[in-house]
DNA sequence: GCTTGCAGCCTTTTT
DNA sequence: GGCTGCAAGC
């Protein structure tokens, strides 16, 4: 088995896997065996004795990817992978901070806020500080804070440009204080704290630099600046004797710039680490020729690429089938017809995927599938650990582990109701504020009825904690579910059955967690898995304090409860649970990344939707949309469908979109148009247009901008102007009327002037001319 | 303290 | 169109 390690690799893959111990960049195209190269590289390094399992760190972006890597690795090598540093950025940072919590100035039981928690903490804070939430919306502040953190900036290092920003910075500072008091940490904080810990603590940094000789990074194009800097620190980039970084990525699949990912990190890495070996994996093992040609043609329209062309030995295969529907309903109907015939040809339902740009598009398709009685799964719904009832139960557990978590306190102090109203909480909040302590700690200062009711809540928590001290985690969870009366509460609810089920599922989740992480296994967990070199090596820090090396498995640094709570925040529980059911797959293009299917439908290929209208406003926005389209195309193995529609209901309005510009960027010979030449009588006065006849796109002034025409009954409105009509304005040039509002006489028109932007003009004042077409 | 109704929201997503 | 969050009313 082990000798076969390098057997089935192609030349490029082999070269990448067996590179010398230097930093390297692997440009891995879609379907080129990227994960395979990563895992084989790790196995090869270990097998050839270049490094021990403890000397490897491998970072991914999702838990799923990390799990996949671990599974494949253990099938390649007879080693116990538990305790190896393979995980997500956040997971590994958590591990580091748990081990060195004192040096990171965190309480031992610090808890992790997910985005929901973070937002509600900010809202609560803004309210308490009497901040005008019109002027400083919680979401905007959250965005501001996360953004700053992702650039490695604390409040005291930010320079305000205006009074608003000055206030934002103050609020950022206030937020940090609140988190510190509560002993909670948001996602970005996990990374920033880790970065600061290593940056400030020389011996600790040095220790990890010496330990991790090989750092492997998956999806490198998705790293943000903070992550990149953390990697630089760990690899000892500026210092002597640093380790090697093996970065794998694909600039063409960078689709997360909107959340801070910086593709530029790839070039920066190449430059800063003086990468000698840039290897391209261009052999594709997934798709047939016409599909790959389409992807290659399309992406060639992007400037600023590192450059790469996928090829296949599989032959041309079938052409890409394109369909123009008359409406979104009809588009859905067509998908079903085609899917049925695919199933008739023996394609399993789970091998048929329907992709769309935004979640809102799924509804119509779901309706149609439901009516047709075809089983389907929608990805991207509410995840297990985010469900309200589960969050409630988690909050009880959080309070037992860290009572100063105010968010958890507020969530359940009166749920199920126990007569603690808004007024009591207000008083409690005041007491807490005046002493600068948590709500929980402030309870003893309360008097009267409120005092006694709150007191009994505290007793409930303390009692549960005492009672469960010696119990294994799953038992503990069960006891808490009962003592909190959550189960009773939902038993009485009419619609509570599913919630009860979810709560009981928590006991199972705890059982599974304990098994997987090795809590409560007969052999003392702190000794680590047998095949791993002793990971709990002691490090002596500056202050003479000895700490364990962070490579120690979780059971030696955390209580089962703390660890379980961490797991709940870091791993939203992708328990889509419907596994086993053979169902068609519905998802956004974003969530399809990394997956593949025999047949793929890319739907809603319309200007304004895909590329999305908001992308026009962003720098290089359309390029990112094109990469998104590239990702979508390369999901398909054998058959690819694309569709667009003349008319679509979105946000309660009917929109008439042009077909996507991306169609113009595909190779003609790879495309097969399925729809007949449909006459599209959008509105009188406009030449009817054939769907795929490009001449109008190419010759028109710029019809691409003339999108999204909102249908309104324009008749009788504003001096006979019609929605959709092309007009000319002395200053703004040519534009298309997008909307008309107000009655006759006081009518205004919203007009898209393309380059000059969207304007609202008063029709009785503006001098407009009709442009005959 | 709970239910009801209305205004405002709406790109993509993981941790 | 449909969901969420908040305020008014019972």
């Amino acid at each position: 088995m082990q000798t076969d390690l390098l057997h089935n690799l192609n030349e490029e893959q082999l070269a990448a896997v067996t590179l010398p111990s230097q930093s390297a960049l692997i440009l891995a195209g879609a379907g080129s065996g990227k994960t395979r190269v990563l895992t084989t590289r790790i196995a090869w390094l270990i097998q050839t004795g270049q490094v021990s399992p403890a000397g490897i760190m491998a970072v991914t972006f999702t838990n799923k990817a990390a799990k996949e890597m671990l599974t494949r690795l253990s099938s390649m090598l007879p080693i116990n992978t538990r305790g190896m540093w393979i995980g997500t950025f956040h997971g590994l940072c958590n591990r580091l901070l748990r081990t060195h919590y004192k040096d990171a100035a965190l309480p031992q039981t610090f808890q992790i806020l997910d985005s929901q928690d973070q937002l509600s903490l900010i809202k609560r804070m803004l309210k308490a500080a009497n901040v005008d939430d019109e002027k400083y919306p919680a979401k905007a502040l959250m965005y501001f804070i996360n953004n700053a953190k992702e650039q490695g900036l604390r409040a005291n290092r930010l320079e305000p440009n205006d009074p608003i920003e000055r206030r934002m910075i103050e609020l950022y500072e206030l937020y940090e204080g609140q988190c510190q008091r509560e002993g909670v940490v948001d996602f970005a904080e996990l990374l920033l704290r880790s970065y600061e810990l290593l940056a400030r603590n020389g011996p600790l940094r040095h220790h990890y630099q010496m330990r991790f000789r090989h750092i492997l990074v998956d999806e490198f194009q998705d790293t943000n600046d903070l992550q990149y800097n953390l990697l630089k620190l760990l690899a000892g980039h500026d210092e002597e004797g640093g380790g090697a970084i093996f970065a794998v990525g694909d600039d063409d699949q960078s689709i997360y710039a909107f959340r801070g990912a910086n593709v530029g990190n790839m070039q920066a890495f190449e430059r800063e680490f003086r990468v000698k070996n840039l290897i391209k994996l261009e052999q594709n093992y997934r798709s047939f020729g016409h599909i790959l040609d389409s992807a290659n043609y399309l992406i060639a329209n992007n400037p600023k690429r590192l450059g790469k062309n996928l090829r296949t030995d599989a032959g041309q295969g079938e052409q890409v089938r394109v369909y123009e529907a008359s409406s979104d309903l009809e588009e859905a109907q067509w998908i079903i017809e085609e899917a049925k015939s695919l199933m008739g040809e023996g394609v399993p339902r789970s091998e048929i995927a329907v992709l769309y740009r935004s979640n809102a598009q799924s509804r119509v398709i779901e309706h149609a599938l439901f009516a047709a009685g075809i089983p389907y799964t929608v990805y991207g719904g509410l995840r297990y650990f985010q469900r309200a009832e589960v969050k409630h139960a988690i909050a009880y557990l959080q309070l037992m582990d860290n009572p100063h978590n105010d968010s958890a306190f507020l969530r359940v102090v009166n749920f199920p109701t126990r007569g603690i109203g808004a007024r009591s909480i207000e008083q409690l909040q005041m007491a807490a504020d005046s002493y600068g302590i948590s709500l929980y700690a402030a309870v003893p200062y309360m008097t009267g009825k409120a005092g006694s009711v709150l007191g009994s809540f505290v007793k409930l928590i303390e009692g549960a904690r005492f009672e469960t001290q010696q119990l294994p985690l799953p038992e503990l969870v069960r006891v808490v579910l009962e003592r909190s009366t959550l189960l009773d509460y939902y038993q009485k609810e009419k619609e509570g059955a599913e919630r009860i089920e979810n709560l009981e599922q928590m006991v199972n989740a705890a059982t599974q967690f304990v098994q997987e992480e090795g809590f409560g296994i007969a052999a003392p967990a702190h000794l680590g898995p047998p095949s791993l070199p002793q990971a709990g090596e002691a490090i002596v820090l500056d202050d003479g304090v000895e700490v364990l090396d962070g490579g120690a498995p979780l059971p030696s640094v955390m209580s089962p409860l703390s660890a379980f709570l961490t797991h709940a925040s870091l791993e939203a529980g992708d328990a889509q649970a419907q596994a086993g059911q053979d169902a068609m797959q519905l998802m956004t293009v974003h969530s399809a990344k990394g997956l593949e299917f025999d047949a793929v439908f890319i739907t809603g290929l319309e200007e304004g939707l895909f590329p999305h209208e908001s992308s026009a406003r962003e720098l290089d926005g359309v390029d990112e949309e094109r990469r998104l389209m590239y990702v979508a195309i390369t999901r398909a193995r054998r058959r690819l469908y694309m569709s667009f529609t003349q008319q679509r209901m979105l946000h309660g309005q009917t929109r008439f979109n042009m077909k996507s510009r991306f169609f113009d960027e595909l190779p003609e010979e790879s495309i097969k148009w399925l729809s007949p030449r449909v006459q599209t009588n959008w509105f009188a006065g406009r030449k009817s247009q054939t769907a795929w006849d490009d001449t109008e796109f190419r010759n028109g002034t710029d019809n691409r901008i003339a999108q999204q025409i909102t249908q309104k009954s324009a008749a009788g409105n504003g001096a006979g102007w019609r929605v959709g009509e092309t007009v000319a304005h002395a200053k703004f040039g040519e534009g298309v009327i997008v909307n008309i509002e107000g009655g006759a006489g006081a009518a205004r028109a919203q007009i898209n002037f393309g380059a000059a932007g969207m304007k609202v003009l008063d029709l009785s004042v503006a001098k407009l001319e009709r442009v005959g077409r």
Side-chain angles (χ1 to χ4, degrees):
Chain A
M1 175 105 204
Q2 296 156 57
T3 43
D4 291 342
L5 213 54
L6 308 176
H7 234 66
N8 295 313
L9 300 177
N10 68 29
E11 223 170 282
E12 301 162 340
Q13 293 172 333
L14 183 70
V17 165
T18 57
L19 278 175
S21 292
Q22 296 161 350
S23 287
L25 180 59
I26 314 299
L27 267 182
S32 66
K34 174 194 66 155
T35 312
R36 181 165 196 198
V37 165
L38 265 171
T39 44
T40 315
R41 167 82 174 171
I42 296 175
W44 180 77
L45 286 170
I46 295 174
Q47 201 189 41
T48 52
Q50 300 184 58
V51 69
S52 75
I56 282 179
M57 175 189 245
V59 201
T60 63
F61 276 82
T62 64
N63 292 301
K64 204 170 139 201
K67 217 169 262 174
E68 166 89 8
M69 208 184 275
L70 283 169
T71 314
R72 291 214 207 171
L73 196 57
S74 31
S75 78
M76 287 182 189
L77 283 181
I79 55 164
N80 189 337
T81 50
R82 192 196 296 156
M84 273 184 84
W85 277 56
I86 297 180
T88 62
F89 271 103
H90 295 85
L92 296 179
C93 285
N94 171 60
R95 201 159 179 170
L96 188 76
L97 295 176
R98 291 290 168 187
T99 314
H100 308 291
Y101 67 94
K102 276 187 196 146
D103 296 286
L106 286 169
Q108 185 164 22
T109 56
F110 75 83
Q111 292 172 348
I112 299 165
L113 297 178
D114 64 23
S115 329
Q116 260 179 53
D117 301 333
Q118 188 188 17
L119 188 64
S120 64
L121 190 151
I122 289 175
K123 279 186 183 162
R124 186 153 44 81
M125 181 189 88
L126 291 178
K127 213 168 205 172
N130 258 324
V131 176
D132 179 3
D133 54 359
E134 300 259 298
K135 216 165 159 190
Y136 302 97
K139 274 205 178 135
L141 184 61
M142 175 160 118
Y143 181 78
F144 177 82
I145 292 172
N146 290 342
N147 229 289
K149 287 188 180 184
E150 272 158 22
Q151 287 171 47
L153 296 171
R154 291 290 178 194
N156 58 19
R157 288 195 39 215
L158 286 169
E159 286 297 326
N161 289 317
D162 53 61
I164 299 262
E165 253 181 52
R166 179 179 305 281
R167 187 83 179 110
M168 297 274 258
I169 294 169
E170 283 169 19
L171 292 169
Y172 177 14
E173 208 152 13
L174 196 65
Y175 169 78
E176 290 196 291
Q178 184 66 31
C179 289
Q180 193 64 31
R181 239 190 325 281
E182 293 190 30
V184 296
V185 156
D186 60 50
F187 286 134
E189 185 72 24
L190 280 173
L191 303 185
L192 183 52
R193 261 312 152 112
S194 300
Y195 176 80
E196 289 171 346
L197 173 71
L198 292 174
R200 287 177 192 155
N201 193 325
L204 202 59
R205 177 174 69 248
H206 189 67
H207 169 79
Y208 284 108
Q209 286 172 348
M210 287 300 111
R211 174 176 170 179
F212 296 123
R213 306 313 298 160
H214 289 273
I215 299 172
L216 299 94
V217 190
D218 191 13
E219 308 277 14
F220 196 82
Q221 77 282 353
D222 288 338
T223 51
N224 63 31
D225 292 342
L226 182 54
Q227 287 159 340
Y228 180 51
N229 286 324
L230 186 62
L231 288 170
K232 272 164 85 172
L233 211 54
L234 273 167
H237 165 255
D238 298 324
E239 303 171 52
E240 243 176 82
I245 291 184
F246 186 87
V248 181
D250 181 358
D251 55 325
D252 290 334
Q253 291 189 69
S254 157
I255 54 173
Y256 287 111
F258 72 90
R259 66 172 197 218
N262 180 5
V263 209
N265 284 344
M266 291 184 89
Q267 281 102 329
F269 172 70
E270 202 182 344
R271 191 177 61 245
E272 294 178 352
F273 283 77
R274 283 177 222 95
V275 170
K276 289 198 201 90
N277 299 298
L278 190 151
I279 293 183
K280 294 181 185 180
L281 305 182
E282 299 178 298
Q283 177 76 33
N284 175 289
Y285 295 97
R286 183 182 296 157
S287 318
F288 282 98
H290 280 308
I291 295 173
L292 279 194
D293 289 348
S294 302
N296 284 332
Y297 261 71
L298 178 95
I299 202 65
N301 286 282
N302 266 6
K304 298 189 234 170
R305 293 177 63 218
L306 294 176
K308 191 168 41 49
N309 225 24
L310 294 176
R311 53 169 196 273
T312 178
D313 295 337
Q316 281 306 90
E318 299 171 4
Q319 285 172 299
V320 178
R321 303 171 190 217
V322 179
Y323 182 74
E324 172 179 21
S326 58
S327 73
D328 45 355
L329 297 167
E330 205 247 324
E331 180 187 43
Q333 215 44 57
W334 168 74
I335 293 171
I336 281 163
E337 292 311 314
E338 291 292 343
K340 274 187 185 160
S341 93
L342 282 167
M343 292 182 238
E345 291 167 33
V347 181
R349 286 192 284 263
S350 59
E351 281 298 335
I352 305 173
V354 181
L355 310 184
Y356 34 79
R357 175 66 237 267
S358 69
N359 281 308
Q361 289 165 250
S362 77
R363 186 158 291 121
V364 178
I365 301 166
E366 282 186 68
H367 269 296
L369 282 168
F370 187 80
I374 301 173
Y376 64 91
T377 312
V378 188
Y379 280 78
L382 202 54
R383 292 187 161 71
Y384 177 72
F385 283 113
Q386 312 210 29
R387 290 166 194 275
E389 65 276 16
V390 178
K391 287 222 113 185
H392 283 131
I394 292 279
Y396 278 99
L397 296 171
Q398 285 178 321
L399 280 180
M400 290 164 60
D401 201 39
N402 167 22
H404 306 302
N405 183 336
D406 286 352
S407 311
F409 184 93
L410 288 169
R411 183 180 276 274
V412 291
V413 66
N414 197 34
F415 192 92
T417 357
R418 41 178 77 87
I420 300 169
R423 233 171 319 123
S424 308
I425 295 300
E426 209 173 293
Q427 284 167 18
L428 183 67
Q429 186 75 63
M430 271 160 55
D433 288 347
S434 64
Y435 293 107
I437 54 176
S438 68
L439 295 170
Y440 192 89
V443 168
Y445 295 97
M446 296 289 286
T447 52
K449 185 168 160 280
S452 74
V453 187
L454 280 163
S456 59
F457 176 69
V458 167
K459 279 197 203 102
L460 169 72
I461 300 296
E462 298 292 337
R465 182 170 26 202
F466 181 75
E467 194 183 316
T468 58
Q469 249 169 4
Q470 304 297 327
L471 292 182
L473 184 67
E475 296 295 308
L476 183 154
V477 172
R478 173 158 293 290
V479 170
V480 170
L481 289 181
E482 269 155 29
R483 293 205 58 163
S484 65
T485 68
L486 280 173
L487 283 177
D488 290 340
Y489 175 85
Y490 287 118
Q491 219 99 56
K492 287 179 197 122
E493 281 269 287
K494 272 169 286 176
E495 310 285 322
E498 197 189 328
R499 295 181 186 272
I500 298 263
E501 214 169 281
N502 285 330
L503 287 176
E504 306 212 307
Q505 182 60 34
M506 252 179 94
V507 182
N508 297 340
T511 309
Q512 196 186 340
F513 175 75
V514 163
Q515 279 165 6
E516 276 175 12
E517 293 297 328
F519 285 91
I521 287 179
H526 65 272
L527 287 181
S531 58
L532 260 190
Q534 186 57 42
E537 179 192 348
I539 321 164
V540 183
L541 301 178
D542 273 346
D543 50 9
V545 178
E546 281 199 10
V547 296
L548 279 183
D549 174 287
L554 287 181
S556 68
V557 289
M558 288 169 88
S559 74
L561 180 54
S562 291
F564 182 60
L565 291 172
T566 299
H567 168 80
S569 325
L570 285 183
E571 226 169 306
D574 48 6
Q576 286 284 333
Q578 290 144 312
Q581 206 351 351
D582 182 29
M584 261 174 76
Q585 311 284 303
L586 272 59
M587 65 192 83
T588 63
V589 181
H590 280 92
S591 40
K593 190 174 166 197
L595 306 177
E596 55 181 272
F597 306 92
D598 280 341
V600 169
F601 291 84
I602 308 175
T603 67
L605 278 165
E606 295 137 40
E607 284 293 303
L609 204 63
F610 200 176
H612 199 273
E613 52 200 333
S614 55
S615 70
R617 270 178 258 129
E618 282 151 34
L619 188 67
D620 301 333
V622 176
D623 294 348
E624 177 143 325
E625 296 288 311
R626 192 173 284 111
R627 290 192 292 269
L628 202 47
M629 180 68 182
Y630 177 78
V631 168
I633 294 174
T634 52
R635 298 310 95 194
R637 289 197 198 102
R638 329 187 124 258
R639 194 177 288 178
L640 180 60
Y641 296 92
M642 297 179 185
S643 63
F644 63 104
T645 174
Q646 302 164 12
Q647 179 185 334
R648 173 181 303 279
M649 190 74 145
L650 205 66
H651 306 314
Q653 284 187 317
T654 305
R655 299 163 38 132
F656 296 82
N657 298 328
M658 310 286 281
K659 73 173 181 187
S660 173
R661 72 189 69 184
F662 295 147
F663 283 114
D664 304 341
E665 301 175 1
L666 300 176
E668 260 172 63
E669 60 277 12
S670 294
I671 303 297
K672 181 179 175 190
W673 293 86
L674 297 179
S675 36
R677 294 193 148 227
V678 182
Q679 293 289 309
T680 61
N681 294 312
W682 287 0
F683 29 73
R686 188 187 168 115
K687 182 174 91 181
S688 66
Q689 179 199 11
T690 38
W692 60 94
D693 178 2
D694 273 348
T695 49
E696 193 162 334
F697 277 86
R698 297 204 171 111
N699 303 337
T701 340
D702 193 353
N703 279 320
R704 283 180 187 166
I705 308 158
Q707 314 144 3
Q708 321 133 30
I709 296 149
T710 309
Q711 186 187 42
K712 283 260 169 100
S713 57
N717 265 359
W721 296 104
R722 284 198 188 86
V723 169
E725 203 160 11
T726 305
V727 296
H729 185 270
K731 201 157 128 206
F732 305 130
E734 273 193 21
V736 172
I737 301 183
V738 167
N739 198 6
I740 296 177
E741 51 190 35
R748 285 163 305 166
Q750 195 181 2
I751 305 173
N752 189 342
F753 284 104
M758 188 77 82
K759 310 278 175 202
V760 177
L761 301 179
D762 191 325
L763 286 174
S764 60
V765 180
K767 290 193 181 68
L768 295 174
E769 273 178 47
R770 272 195 182 83
V771 177
R773 293 208 169 206

